[in-house]
Amino acid sequence: EAVAPPAPIVGEDDLGFGKKKGKKGKAAQPASELPKVVVEVLAIERHPDANKLNVCMVDAGEALGTLKIVCGATNLRVGMVTVLAQVGSVVHTQTGPLPITLRAVRGVQSFGMLCGKGELGLSADEAAATEVVRVAEDASLGAPFDPSMLAEASSGEETEATAAPEGEAAQPVNKANADGDDGGDGDSGD
């Protein structure tokens, strides 16, 4: 059962209410963004209304718990340790910063976004835009992400059972895709 992430604690001072401080016209400072955190993918199922999207359950550690995430990454697999931009955090895009909000993606509620190098501000390489990053498996779940946590890629790591052909969504490893048809609706989920 997915649990909604806790709301950020915001006091009156954070919103600029109450006593005036400083000079007139000075804007209140926005609450700082929440960190991106280390998560483990627990389950992957096909999205019911989008052939190139998956609905994942991730373990985001004790503070955030288990969350439902809609994701179009091609390299997802159960047991993978990756990075979650939780609700309240901000990711990088080609058009600028994107605040992460609770939202429905084709009718399925998503409690954040699994991140690739582009969303983390580590690469502008469009070829990697369909893959989420891998974090070292010994990283603590729920810990704030740091680039030093990235796992080193090793050749042959993925098996045929979990690897997806280029341009196709990753196959769920806990559900068989009986007909092998991805439907090709062209929806990348973004």
Side-chain angles (χ1 to χ4, degrees), residues 7-190:
I9 299 172
V10 180
E12 285 183 321
D13 290 339
D14 294 325
L15 299 174
F17 296 128
K19 297 179 182 178
K20 291 184 180 179
K21 295 181 179 179
K23 297 181 180 180
K24 285 186 179 181
K26 186 175 181 182
Q29 294 293 323
S32 61
E33 69 180 69
L34 294 175
K36 294 157 196 74
V37 296
V38 175
V39 298
E40 179 181 3
V41 178
L42 301 175
I44 304 169
E45 294 184 3
R46 285 276 183 210
H47 190 292
D49 293 324
N51 291 326
K52 292 190 177 185
L53 294 176
N54 293 306
V55 179
C56 310
M57 297 303 292
V58 299
D59 181 352
E62 194 172 309
L64 294 175
T66 301
L67 300 171
K68 184 188 309 182
I69 308 295
V70 177
C71 184
T74 58
N75 65 330
L76 283 178
R77 64 176 173 79
V78 171
M80 177 180 208
V81 180
T82 188
V83 178
L84 170 72
Q86 62 179 311
V87 172
S89 63
V90 176
V91 296
H92 298 275
T93 69
Q94 292 179 342
T95 58
L98 174 69
I100 300 301
T101 58
L102 179 64
R103 63 180 253 188
V105 179
R106 296 197 102 186
V108 176
Q109 198 77 305
S110 185
F111 292 86
M113 175 185 202
L114 298 181
C115 297
K117 286 184 176 182
E119 289 92 5
L120 296 170
L122 302 175
S123 171
D125 181 12
E126 289 188 40
T130 61
E131 295 186 354
V132 294
V133 295
R134 284 184 29 257
V135 172
E137 292 185 10
D138 62 350
S140 297
L141 300 182
F145 170 72
D146 181 271
S148 66
M149 296 174 165
L150 290 175
E152 294 297 322
S154 60
S155 62
E157 181 181 359
E158 291 187 335
T159 66
E160 282 187 32
T162 60
E166 190 170 325
E168 291 184 21
Q171 296 297 313
V173 293
N174 60 343
K175 263 191 163 179
N177 184 359
D179 62 11
D181 180 10
D182 78 350
D185 69 354
D187 182 1
S188 67
D190 293 330

